[in-house]
Amino acid sequence: MAAYSAIASFRQTLEELLDSAQFPPHVPKPQIESLREKVSSLQSSLDKIPFVPKLKRDKMKDLQNSIREAIYAAQDEVEYWIKDDSPHKSDEKTMKKLEEGIKLVEADALVLEEEIRNDPTAQNLFSDNPEQVSFNFSGKDKIVGQEKDFKLITEWLDSDDKSRLVIPITGLPGIGKTTLARSIYDNKEVRKQFNIRAWVTVSQDVNYQEVFTKILNTMESKNYQAGHYATQGDEQTLLQRLHQELYNLKFLIVVDDVWDLAAWDRIALALPDKENGSRILLTTRVREVADKISEKANLLHEMQPLGPEHSWQLLCYRTFGDKLKNDNDDVTLLCPSHLNVIGKSIAEKCKGLPLSLVVVGGLLIQETDKIDYWKRIEEDTGDAAAMGENSYLEILALSYLYLPGKLKGCFLYMGGFPEDCEIRIQKLIKLWVAEGFLPAPAPEQDVSGLERVAQRSVEDLIGRNLLSIRKKSTNGGMKACGMHDSLRELAEKQCGFENFFHARKKYNQDLPEEAKLKRRVSVHRNILMCLEEVYDKTRTITYARSLLYLGSHHHHPMPFFLTFDLLKVLDAFTCYFIQFPDEFLELVHLTYLSFTYNGKLPTKVTELKKLETLMVRREPKIIFVGASFLPDDVWNMPKLRHLWFTETDFPNLPSVNPTNKILLYNLQTLASVDAAYFTEEVIDNMPNLRKLAMWIESPEKLNFTVSKLKKLEQFRFIVLNPIPGKGIEVEAESFFPKKLRRITLSGTGLPWAHMEFLGKELKGLEVLKLKELAFNGPEWLLRSNYDMENLKYLLIEYLNFQKWDATNSNFPSLQKLIMRHCYELEDIPDDIGYIGPLDTMEVVDCSPQAVECAYKIIDQQEEGNCKMNFEGRVFSSWE
């Protein structure tokens, strides 16, 4: 329901306007206050409607359309007034008419709320204080009912046939093709059979240069980890490089989501057949494509829907799986007995499609004990199942129907992204906050309250199985997410109905008249906006508030650039500008701005007083010591929440602060700035920092205290020119705030004694990355009382220590140990292998002694069968 998002965004605009110290004199304040009251009341009414009975849904849909139109009209007028550019010349009669429109839909909303509250079918589903459901994020897709599929395909992979076999996996959308391929690809025993492996997703709008780049990026071999292989060049260059790298190796390549034979034929040219047992797994929903590809090897696997028993198991796994104590336990026993019959009926109506079962499980998890709610889901899935060929899509549509209003905008937002897009969650959070369509947190929350609301919204969509975790962070959290193609298609379709997003995908794409009313535009290929015809067409979407460039980095200056008068969000991070676009300075409503630019930002950029996120990338990355790309007046941008730059100095504090206020009170992220210009006064003016990345040219004494940042959770400090035997001069107590969860150090040359402070005082530390002489000294000795009790991830890279004395009790929670380029290390403590949670140990290009110790630990794990999920990997050039 874009209506709720529109209300939340407009309410935020009104509240910011009323709180502004420079309220526009030509704007009638009483009317703005009256508008704010009516909009707040309207939002409250929608908040109280968690469920809409079937007979009221058409009425609710009409109400949402009316709300959206009324709010959009009023928002346009107010924002033009703020810009002092009203088409109606500040006509108060026009504003009064718009206010009356909002008053009417507010009255309609109150009536509908009361009707639904009194509807017998909605009883027991209302709550004045609804609790947020908490979810368990395993990030894993468990195979249920596809064990035979797994066994058959792994046998084909391990067959004696030496020719390059292509194994197509086909079946209906949502039947689990990608999940099955991923489980095979990640299987430890399968990996042992091949010298190298890689994964690529193709999708409908195929870009071969990107496809070959992705294969090269994900290639991992015995001696080289993913990311080792060069990926620069045009399509033909990359094809030839890929062919050359794979030429004499036995490889496993997964080519996911192929739509036509021409795409496969082009990709196949890069995958040599050297009669060495190489294998290619290919997934496609198009049976004709699978048939053609399988002709040579006569291998084809068509997946079948799950039977009733497995359907019920999968539904229970997605609904109650977080309560399982052991993966081998019968999850169906966790379903309350009074819901068993209804639950099995729901599972049957999903017709054995895993995606349908997973999505419906996301609905049931909201109320795992209410029979009335389960009966309603049963009735709705039954109606959807009766739709014949469209039943699958109708069941997925229930996931949107049942979403609370505050989450519908978040779901629709995903419809603007390309197929199979992997989206960084921190970026998504910043975008949602900048859009303003999330409910405001309680006033007593700290400045990061909105980010926490956005984080919970991501978690909620994942918990409902509408988003999936694509990549985990080093501490096991969520780093990137994605959406199944069928759900993304649902979101994109709904975006069209609700004028939410227009996605520009290709040159010859029609722009219907109604598309000109869309509030957001996304560009899937940046180069399209260099084409005058595409540019001119897209420019007609005059109501757009957001413009997102989501294609790969565009390395050449763009002759055309798109701006809109009322733009709030401009994500042009992958667009390179030779000159600063002066059009940016006219966008007074901007809250989010990102782009690539190598020059100094003009002073006028600080007149964008609403700006909350500013991200500027430099390409190529060149550091000029003693030069700031930021204007001095950046200190006068109090709304800033996130500042991200490729290494730069930070401007000096203003010599005069007449208000005596903390200048950057709302700033939570600052990266990456020169530590040489930081002082105690600078830190005092950004007390709410949670993420800080700093650099310094060479080791020296620091004249500020990082520990004053009481809320700091992530800290990165890099010395650009490290000197062996010399480090920065700093006391551990003043350098490491006690709330830190993640630390990255490089070139700092600290004494190992500082590590004792980390163990004793930083009880919440989860991630520790030590790079390039971060610590100096030949021995890292860990005492028995020196425990990093919550550390989950430890990276040791380019350190020159020789002895490492540690026991499993020093790192009781460690899950991942990564060691790279430690050429002088004499051994790895045996006890490391007995750390209970440890599931990954990776040793890359270390000394022969360290490599030998790593193999010993891995052998102990495999022979003793201590941990079935333990994964040890050694990449060594010594062998």
Side-chain angles (χ1 to χ4, degrees):
M1 179 171 55
Y4 188 95
S5 301
I7 292 170
S9 179
F10 187 36
R11 178 178 176 177
Q12 184 186 84
T13 298
L14 296 174
E15 290 176 345
E16 286 179 351
L17 180 58
L18 291 169
D19 291 341
S20 173
Q22 297 177 328
F23 193 90
H26 58 280
V27 178
K29 195 167 187 175
Q31 277 196 319
I32 299 300
E33 290 173 337
S34 177
L35 262 178
R36 193 257 306 269
E37 291 174 6
K38 289 177 174 55
V39 169
S40 299
S41 174
L42 186 55
Q43 184 176 9
S44 177
S45 293
L46 293 183
D47 275 330
K48 293 174 183 175
I49 307 177
F51 169 79
V52 182
K54 187 188 303 183
L55 296 179
K56 304 288 183 184
R57 287 174 186 168
D58 287 341
K59 190 171 183 179
M60 184 62 175
K61 184 178 179 180
D62 292 339
L63 173 63
Q64 291 168 7
N65 292 336
S66 299
I67 290 173
R68 191 173 61 247
E69 291 173 8
I71 292 292
Y72 281 168
Q75 185 178 30
D76 291 344
E77 187 66 22
V78 168
E79 291 184 355
Y80 273 121
W81 277 15
I82 295 172
K83 206 172 183 291
D84 197 15
D85 191 25
S86 171
H88 303 100
K89 305 301 179 186
S90 299
D91 187 344
E92 292 188 27
K93 290 183 180 179
T94 300
M95 200 65 215
K96 194 70 178 174
K97 182 179 178 181
L98 294 170
E99 185 180 341
E100 287 298 319
I102 293 178
K103 188 175 179 180
L104 287 173
V105 294
E106 177 198 3
D108 291 342
L110 289 171
V111 169
L112 184 58
E113 176 200 338
E114 191 62 25
E115 288 180 7
I116 293 175
R117 189 177 288 276
N118 294 327
D119 191 308
T121 64
Q123 297 302 308
N124 302 320
L125 295 175
F126 272 85
S127 173
D128 291 327
N129 296 296
E131 295 182 6
Q132 175 156 340
V133 180
S134 59
F135 303 105
N136 183 338
F137 309 108
S138 68
K140 295 180 180 178
D141 289 315
K142 182 177 180 179
I143 286 185
V144 175
Q146 296 172 349
E147 293 80 6
K148 290 183 179 179
D149 305 77
F150 181 95
K151 185 174 183 295
L152 175 63
I153 293 177
T154 52
E155 287 175 354
W156 286 351
L157 293 178
D158 195 30
S159 71
D160 294 332
D161 191 333
K162 293 299 182 183
S163 61
R164 186 199 69 178
L165 296 182
V166 183
I167 304 170
I169 303 174
T170 189
L172 296 170
I175 204 164
K177 300 181 291 294
T178 299
T179 301
L180 176 62
R182 175 62 69 179
S183 65
I184 294 169
Y185 181 79
D186 287 337
N187 183 265
K188 188 191 303 184
E189 296 304 316
V190 170
R191 283 208 304 267
K192 288 180 180 178
Q193 300 173 29
F194 300 94
N195 303 118
I196 196 166
R197 64 183 189 131
W199 180 292
V200 64
T201 302
V202 179
S203 300
Q204 292 186 69
D205 191 15
V206 58
N207 181 316
Y208 296 108
Q209 184 177 3
E210 291 180 6
V211 166
F212 297 138
T213 298
K214 287 177 183 177
I215 297 176
L216 286 162
N217 263 329
T218 59
M219 286 199 324
E220 183 179 85
S221 67
K222 181 180 180 182
N223 294 321
Y224 300 111
Q225 58 190 136
H228 165 79
Y229 298 92
T231 58
Q232 297 298 317
D234 58 21
E235 176 189 325
Q236 188 61 30
T237 300
L238 292 172
L239 186 155
Q240 292 171 351
R241 181 177 300 144
L242 179 56
H243 190 276
Q244 182 179 0
E245 295 290 357
L246 296 175
Y247 193 69
N248 287 314
L249 297 175
K250 180 182 179 182
F251 57 79
L252 170 64
I253 308 289
V254 175
V255 184
D256 187 33
D257 201 16
V258 176
W259 282 79
D260 60 68
L261 196 60
W264 163 245
D265 288 342
R266 180 64 175 160
I267 296 168
L269 293 175
L271 308 178
D273 184 359
K274 294 297 292 179
E275 299 288 333
N276 58 5
S278 291
R279 301 289 184 259
I280 299 163
L281 277 183
L282 181 146
T283 73
T284 178
R285 66 173 68 177
V286 185
R287 178 57 193 257
E288 292 79 1
V289 172
D291 286 337
K292 286 288 184 183
I293 293 172
S294 70
E295 284 179 355
K296 179 180 178 183
N298 200 29
L299 294 176
L300 185 150
H301 184 67
E302 182 171 9
M303 298 185 68
Q304 301 300 320
L306 302 179
E309 182 180 350
H310 287 131
S311 294
W312 176 228
Q313 286 177 4
L314 181 56
L315 186 67
C316 287
Y317 177 73
R318 286 298 184 169
T319 308
F320 306 105
D322 60 329
K323 298 179 178 64
L324 272 178
K325 294 181 179 179
N326 189 309
D327 256 358
N328 295 322
D329 292 344
D330 185 354
V331 70
T332 62
L333 298 177
L334 294 174
C335 180
S337 57
H338 65 287
L339 297 176
N340 264 288
V341 174
I342 299 173
K344 289 179 179 179
S345 173
I346 293 171
E348 182 182 354
K349 289 174 171 58
C350 291
K351 300 183 177 180
L353 283 177
L355 182 61
S356 297
L357 291 157
V358 162
V359 167
V360 173
L363 297 178
L364 297 177
I365 200 173
Q366 309 305 308
E367 300 286 356
T368 55
D369 199 39
K370 284 188 177 180
I371 192 167
D372 291 339
Y373 181 83
W374 281 50
K375 283 181 178 178
R376 175 57 54 202
I377 299 296
E378 181 189 23
E379 182 179 345
D380 281 333
T381 50
D383 290 345
M387 298 296 289
E389 291 183 1
N390 295 322
S391 61
Y392 164 65
L393 297 176
E394 291 296 321
I395 288 176
L396 296 187
L398 294 176
S399 63
Y400 181 72
L401 177 67
Y402 275 81
L403 274 178
K406 63 183 180 181
L407 286 179
K408 287 191 173 181
C410 298
F411 178 81
L412 291 179
Y413 210 82
M414 309 308 293
F417 288 86
E419 286 181 78
D420 299 299
C421 186
E422 187 178 273
I423 310 157
R424 289 181 65 89
I425 288 173
Q426 287 305 310
K427 176 177 178 175
L428 198 56
I429 287 172
K430 291 182 180 69
L431 286 169
W432 287 355
V433 169
E435 292 281 357
F437 56 56
L438 293 169
E444 64 271 12
Q445 288 199 20
D446 62 19
V447 297
S448 64
L450 270 171
E451 281 77 9
R452 296 188 191 282
V453 170
Q455 175 76 29
R456 286 197 296 271
S457 299
V458 175
E459 293 171 357
D460 204 337
L461 290 175
I462 291 174
R464 294 169 185 269
N465 301 316
L466 299 180
L467 290 180
S468 60
I469 300 172
R470 294 286 176 86
K471 187 180 292 184
K472 287 193 173 187
S473 60
T474 48
N475 63 348
M478 303 175 297
K479 185 173 184 178
C481 65
M483 181 177 267
H484 191 281
D485 281 352
S486 297
L487 288 169
R488 197 204 64 81
E489 289 167 14
L490 170 66
E492 186 177 29
K493 184 179 179 181
Q494 198 65 34
C495 279
F497 295 148
E498 304 198 32
N499 290 332
F500 198 81
F501 241 126
H502 169 72
R504 169 57 69 171
K505 303 177 182 179
K506 52 189 177 182
Y507 174 76
N508 57 342
Q509 181 178 344
D510 291 333
L511 185 66
E513 190 64 28
E514 60 271 17
K516 297 177 181 179
L517 301 175
K518 297 290 191 293
R519 306 299 275 197
R520 294 166 186 85
V521 176
S522 65
V523 182
H524 292 187
R525 289 191 178 183
N526 296 348
I527 197 171
L528 289 172
M529 286 304 147
C530 292
L531 308 175
E532 189 169 1
E533 184 180 350
V534 175
Y535 172 85
D536 288 340
K537 277 187 179 180
T538 312
R539 192 183 178 89
T540 61
I541 309 175
T542 55
Y543 291 94
R545 293 302 199 281
S546 304
L547 175 60
L548 280 63
Y549 284 87
L550 302 174
S552 56
H553 191 76
H554 191 63
H555 294 281
H556 303 288
M558 302 183 72
F560 299 101
F561 189 69
L562 208 58
T563 56
F564 302 95
D565 289 341
L566 303 180
L567 209 62
K568 289 183 65 176
V569 171
L570 175 53
D571 177 20
F573 195 67
T574 55
C575 298
Y576 171 71
F577 299 96
I578 286 182
Q579 294 182 332
F580 184 87
D582 290 337
E583 296 93 335
F584 287 177
L585 305 177
E586 302 298 320
L587 303 175
V588 299
H589 294 293
L590 271 186
T591 56
Y592 182 107
L593 174 61
S594 70
F595 60 106
T596 298
Y597 173 63
N598 283 354
K600 180 180 174 69
L601 298 187
T603 299
K604 281 192 173 183
V605 80
T606 61
E607 295 178 10
L608 301 175
K609 296 299 183 183
K610 292 188 176 184
L611 207 57
E612 298 176 354
T613 296
L614 179 58
M615 304 174 68
V616 183
R617 175 188 182 191
R618 296 176 68 81
E619 183 65 32
K621 181 178 177 180
I622 301 173
I623 301 171
F624 295 97
V625 178
S628 175
F629 313 130
L630 292 166
D632 292 345
D633 286 349
V634 72
W635 287 103
N636 298 319
M637 301 178 73
K639 292 279 188 181
L640 281 174
R641 305 170 77 89
H642 307 283
L643 263 176
W644 187 96
F645 289 84
T646 306
E647 283 78 0
T648 182
D649 293 349
F650 204 76
N652 292 325
L653 269 168
S655 56
V656 179
N657 180 6
T659 61
N660 252 350
K661 288 183 178 179
I662 297 173
L663 297 177
L664 295 178
Y665 182 81
N666 291 301
L667 194 64
Q668 300 165 49
T669 303
L670 180 60
S672 294
V673 293
D674 187 352
Y677 288 83
F678 259 63
T679 63
E680 298 288 332
E681 292 77 19
V682 168
I683 285 181
D684 288 342
N685 275 281
M686 44 183 76
N688 288 304
L689 279 178
R690 294 182 177 274
K691 301 177 183 179
L692 174 62
M694 310 181 79
W695 60 276
I696 199 166
E697 186 178 8
S698 57
E700 61 182 59
K701 185 174 182 179
L702 302 181
N703 61 347
F704 60 90
T705 305
V706 184
S707 60
K708 291 182 71 174
L709 297 169
K710 302 297 183 184
K711 297 181 181 179
L712 198 67
E713 297 177 354
Q714 299 185 29
F715 181 43
R716 185 174 80 234
F717 195 101
I718 295 173
V719 178
L720 298 180
N721 301 308
I723 300 173
K726 185 177 180 180
I728 59 174
E729 297 178 38
V730 65
E731 295 295 327
E733 293 83 353
S734 65
F735 199 55
F736 298 114
K738 293 184 179 180
K739 287 190 70 174
L740 282 175
R741 295 188 299 108
R742 302 170 63 98
I743 297 174
T744 300
L745 302 174
S746 178
T748 46
L750 295 172
W752 286 109
H754 277 32
M755 195 66 76
E756 186 170 348
F757 179 83
L758 299 184
K760 286 184 177 179
E761 302 296 335
L762 273 59
K763 297 302 182 184
L765 188 63
E766 297 178 352
V767 175
L768 181 59
K769 298 181 180 181
L770 307 177
K771 302 180 179 182
E772 197 171 3
L773 304 176
F775 280 80
N776 261 328
E779 296 182 336
W780 182 8
L781 306 179
L782 300 176
R783 301 174 186 173
S784 58
N785 63 342
Y786 165 80
D787 299 336
M788 293 186 169
E789 56 189 42
N790 287 305
L791 193 69
K792 299 177 181 178
Y793 181 96
L794 176 60
L795 168 67
I796 304 170
E797 182 177 271
Y798 284 112
L799 264 59
N800 61 0
F801 69 125
Q802 299 160 15
K803 296 185 181 299
W804 185 17
D805 186 4
T807 68
N808 56 334
S809 64
N810 295 130
F811 307 106
S813 303
L814 193 65
Q815 297 174 4
K816 289 181 172 53
L817 171 63
I818 313 296
M819 304 185 68
R820 298 175 184 154
H821 316 298
C822 295
Y823 302 118
E824 299 181 34
L825 185 61
E826 295 176 358
D827 65 3
I828 301 173
D830 289 344
D831 263 18
I832 293 294
Y834 295 99
I835 296 174
L838 189 70
D839 58 39
T840 301
M841 184 178 73
E842 186 177 291
V843 178
V844 181
D845 199 21
C846 290
S847 66
Q849 300 96 313
V851 168
E852 185 179 345
C853 291
Y855 277 126
K856 182 179 177 182
I857 292 172
I858 293 170
D859 290 343
Q860 286 175 345
Q861 292 296 325
E862 293 181 349
E863 291 173 8
N865 201 25
C866 298
K867 293 191 290 289
M868 292 299 293
N869 65 335
F870 179 82
E871 180 177 1
R873 295 186 292 177
V874 178
F875 304 94
S876 175
S877 59
W878 297 99
E879 298 179 318

